[in-house]
Amino acid sequence: MTAALQSDYPPESGWTTDDLDALPEDGRRRELLDGVLLMSPSPTRKHQIIAGLLMAELHADCPDDYDVTQGVAVRINRTRSFIPDVLVTTSVAAAREPSKYEPHEVVLAIEIVSPSTRSIDRVLKPALYAQAGIPFYWRIETEGALEVVTYRIDAVNEVYTETGRWTKFVDTGEPFPINLPISRITPRVR
């Protein structure tokens, strides 16, 4: 057991991915930002329905070179680990049945904005995913009608450039041809 688990305080040098691996499998969503442990509240029904529907829609059109999954960690380095809501990876990476991916294995990271993660999903994660070289990023805004904002990396400057704001259809050829009606990922109103 690591020192971080034997005390109420984090290790002096900060949390690492080794510390994450030593934590019990208890269903909690733990991420690391430069050695700081981040824990998000449980996702809402709306969030989970969007993630599930989006994963299914992308999976249906996904070419054999890629794979679609959700909620699997991306280990950026020893002190940074994030869990995109939905992600597209290479099929080679998916074939090893990972519980975590390396950034070079991820083609598209998708975050669904929740009230508790606004700044993280809009500012922090896109900056760090781009810095890690992940080619595409989508942000799904959930306040009001759904909006999907798509980005492509500018690899020279390690930043994302917005490629579209979609409220009716996501119609893009990146990372593979996608023509997705937003209504297909919109939860039913109860």
Side-chain angles (χ1 to χ4, degrees), residues 57-113:
E57 290 293 326
L58 290 175
H59 179 76
D61 292 331
C62 185
D64 290 342
D65 293 349
Y66 300 112
D67 187 69
V68 182
T69 192
Q70 62 178 327
V72 180
V74 177
R75 294 283 170 91
I76 295 174
N77 61 36
R78 196 163 148 64
T79 61
R80 285 186 186 162
S81 180
F82 296 115
I83 304 171
D85 293 314
V86 177
L87 56 160
V88 176
T89 67
T90 66
S91 59
V92 170
R96 59 182 181 81
E97 295 293 329
S99 61
K100 44 195 133 334
Y101 288 101
E102 298 294 321
H104 70 273
E105 298 173 316
V106 179
V107 179
L108 167 64
I110 302 171
E111 297 291 351
I112 301 165
V113 178

Side-chain angles (χ1 to χ4, degrees), residues 1 3-4 9 18 23 30 32 34-35 45 63 67 90 92-93 99 101 104 139 150 152 157 162 182 189:
M1 187 153 310
Y9 300 99
D18 291 338
L23 292 171
R30 295 178 179 98
L32 277 182
D34 298 334
R45 171 193 166 275
D67 187 69
T90 66
V92 170
S99 61
Y101 288 101
H104 70 273
R139 187 183 78 234
T150 57
R152 176 188 319 115
N157 296 309
E162 187 176 310
I182 300 293
V189 178

Side-chain angles (χ1 to χ4, degrees), residues 100-145:
K100 44 195 133 334
Y101 288 101
E102 298 294 321
H104 70 273
E105 298 173 316
V106 179
V107 179
L108 167 64
I110 302 171
E111 297 291 351
I112 301 165
V113 178
S114 298
S116 63
T117 62
R118 283 185 195 110
S119 296
I120 291 170
D121 294 338
R122 292 176 181 160
V123 180
L124 179 69
K125 283 188 176 181
L128 297 177
Y129 287 153
Q131 210 175 62
I134 296 172
F136 301 99
Y137 177 72
W138 290 9
R139 187 183 78 234
I140 301 179
E141 294 290 341
T142 60
E143 291 178 17

